[in-house]
Amino acid sequence: MIQKIVSPLGIEAWLVEDYAVPLVAVDFAFRGGTAQDGAVRPGLAHMMSALLDEGAGPHDDEAFQRLMEENAVELSFQAGRDQINGSLRTLADRMEAGFDLLRLAITEPRFEETAVERIRQSLMASLRREASDPNAVASQTFFAHLFPGHPYGRPPRGTLESIAAIPRDEIAAQHRRLLAKDVLCISIVGAIAAHDARDMLDKVFGSLPTTALLQPVAETVPSSLGERRIVDLDLPQTVLQFGTPGVKRDSPYYMAALVLNHIYGGGSFSSRLFQKVREEKGLAYSVSTHLGTLAHAAFLGGGVATRNDRAAESLAIIEAEMMEIARNGPTAAELESAKKYLTGSYALRFDASTKIANQLTQIQVEKLGIDFIDRRNGLIDMITLDDTRRVARRLFGGPKPFVVAVGRPEGLA
């Protein structure tokens, strides 16, 4: 059972008490992520999050890492386009030590110059590797052209130039701007009683600033529809990424779009694209699509990797299936099969305490309500063929998708 708890200082969290194993998982998100970086500092939030556990409070980086190891504490932080995520996993009998290390990491990071330079070099080495990674190149090109001039179009991990130029004081300032109590969502799962969890909330998060200093992010829609961008890389395969307008998470059409995406290319062996591209034509090992639901934009994205001389054929099939499903919608059998899979597989997202905590945090970020898990499958079961046909026309009935091709595709222009 999910409990909503409120600490004496007014900090809210969702709690699931579970004593099956002696572990406690804490998952949290601060709304406002790399979209807050600004045009001249892409990668700033990513670099800041990478430094949170590299020394904090009285402990330098070596001492902090040693304390984590001695107490079997796992901490992690990631910067996404719309939020900074963090998590803690600790043994129940070490949770006081784990909570204190988490408190230090998010409220008193040291951002020492030696740690800053070490992380800077690590991030730049990663960016150099990604420059020859076709999937990374395709992703960066995809977002740059799908959302040109918008924060979502910037590289969230930064560039070699931006990471090299970020000074320590701007990292500290970004920490102050983004990590605050008014943009915080927290979930706790494991062997901890509600009264202890309330005390933990104040100890860990209580000294954060009350209000984040976020810059407004404009609503936007996908651009470059119908365009094809080819990035030349000397590779035997071409990586294709494509995108069309999507459906935002708070749209009344979202659940129908979820079902339709599953039928079209949502990742299972039964999707139309998988059957056409892999099973019938043998063009690729895998092909899939997903719903991109950002806070201020939505898109349907997909990707496939195939031989250079089969790239044009693969894209032709993908676009033909878009037109066909926009014109005729899915069949009744496809709809029932998709519903059965999406409702039956939902429980697999909750088979570990860390996964449960992460799901609860995302539900809070998306403002779906504390009863969403109980309602979700019912919402899917209510989707009709007319619902999916309406959404199919909305997603695929307009211009052709924006396409990025990385490699040396033959027959694409």
Side-chain angles (χ1 to χ4, degrees):
M1 183 183 70
I2 306 170
Q3 307 173 57
K4 179 180 177 179
I5 61 172
V6 182
S7 76
L9 292 179
I11 300 171
E12 294 185 4
W14 289 3
L15 167 67
V16 175
E17 292 186 49
D18 180 359
Y19 299 91
V21 292
L23 295 173
V24 176
V26 180
D27 192 280
F28 52 93
F30 296 92
R31 293 188 181 92
T34 63
Q36 296 291 320
D37 280 348
V40 299
R41 286 286 186 257
L44 177 57
H46 177 62
M47 191 169 179
M48 181 273 290
S49 65
L51 281 158
L52 292 177
D53 61 356
E54 294 291 329
H59 312 299
D60 64 17
D61 53 347
E62 290 186 9
F64 195 88
Q65 294 295 323
R66 185 170 60 250
L67 285 170
M68 287 176 57
E69 185 173 330
E70 290 174 353
N71 290 285
V73 171
E74 297 177 3
L75 288 178
S76 68
F77 304 94
Q78 303 88 35
R81 283 184 166 82
D82 288 319
Q83 59 205 48
I84 305 292
N85 289 87
S87 66
L88 161 73
R89 186 169 180 263
T90 180
L91 297 169
D93 63 359
R94 304 285 183 92
M95 63 182 175
E96 289 302 325
F99 294 158
D100 196 51
L101 288 170
L102 175 58
R103 174 187 67 81
L104 291 172
I106 63 172
T107 63
E108 300 180 34
R110 294 169 68 131
F111 299 130
E112 290 181 304
E113 290 292 354
T114 53
V116 169
E117 289 308 311
R118 186 179 63 257
I119 293 299
R120 189 194 311 279
Q121 295 306 315
S122 174
L123 296 178
M124 292 175 69
S126 177
L127 289 171
R128 291 188 188 97
R129 288 193 298 273
E130 290 179 359
S132 58
D133 180 339
N135 290 296
V137 172
S139 178
Q140 186 166 326
T141 307
F142 178 82
F143 278 96
H145 291 278
L146 201 67
F147 301 114
H150 190 276
Y152 291 155
R154 301 171 194 151
R157 293 161 56 83
T159 65
L160 287 173
E161 294 75 18
S162 69
I163 294 297
I166 292 174
R168 187 261 177 203
D169 61 339
E170 289 195 22
I171 296 171
Q174 190 73 331
H175 170 262
R176 165 61 190 92
R177 283 195 292 268
L178 299 188
L179 272 60
K181 286 181 282 192
D182 67 324
V183 293
L184 178 59
C185 299
I186 309 169
S187 303
I188 309 160
V189 177
I192 182 170
H195 60 83
D196 290 330
R198 292 189 190 93
D199 290 343
M200 179 276 286
L201 291 174
D202 285 348
K203 289 177 183 175
V204 174
F205 301 100
S207 62
L208 285 170
T210 301
T211 307
L213 305 175
L214 303 185
Q215 296 297 314
V217 176
E219 296 291 314
T220 188
V221 296
S223 297
S224 308
L225 298 178
E227 295 183 13
R228 295 176 179 180
R229 294 275 174 176
I230 298 176
V231 181
D232 182 65
L233 277 184
D234 187 8
L235 299 168
Q237 280 201 327
T238 293
V239 171
L240 291 170
Q241 288 198 8
F242 51 92
T244 72
V247 174
K248 291 191 69 175
R249 187 61 188 87
D250 59 357
S251 166
Y253 301 110
Y254 177 80
M255 282 299 179
L258 181 70
V259 174
L260 182 75
N261 174 63
H262 182 83
I263 294 168
Y264 173 68
S268 79
F269 292 165
S270 63
S271 77
R272 287 191 178 191
L273 291 190
F274 194 90
Q275 288 297 315
K276 293 283 186 180
V277 174
R278 171 176 155 148
E279 297 297 295
E280 293 183 16
K281 298 291 184 178
L283 296 173
Y285 179 76
S286 181
V287 56
S288 64
T289 60
H290 66 279
L291 296 178
T293 51
L294 300 165
H296 304 283
F299 64 94
L300 182 143
V304 64
T306 187
R307 280 171 26 193
N308 287 333
D309 63 343
R310 309 297 295 274
E313 183 181 1
S314 298
L315 182 58
I317 293 172
I318 290 166
E319 292 182 337
E321 283 302 316
M322 284 185 179
M323 288 189 287
E324 204 289 324
I325 205 167
R327 186 164 51 245
N328 298 314
T331 66
E334 287 176 322
L335 176 62
E336 289 309 308
S337 176
K339 287 181 179 179
K340 186 175 181 181
Y341 178 87
L342 290 170
T343 55
S345 64
Y346 189 49
L348 298 178
R349 301 184 189 184
F350 303 91
D351 60 0
S353 57
T354 51
K355 292 167 73 174
I356 297 170
N358 179 264
Q359 286 291 315
L360 296 184
T361 298
Q362 196 58 33
I363 290 170
Q364 291 184 73
V365 168
E366 294 177 343
K367 301 178 181 178
L368 300 176
I370 200 167
D371 62 343
F372 176 74
I373 294 173
D374 295 328
R375 294 187 292 109
R376 187 257 193 192
N377 282 355
L379 295 173
I380 290 176
D381 283 333
M382 292 170 61
I383 299 300
T384 66
L385 269 180
D386 284 343
D387 294 331
T388 55
R389 288 168 178 160
R390 192 178 303 114
V391 170
R393 291 192 293 272
R394 183 188 181 105
L395 296 185
F396 301 133
K400 286 187 175 183
F402 168 59
V403 178
V404 175
V406 179
R408 293 190 170 169
E410 298 176 13
L412 285 183

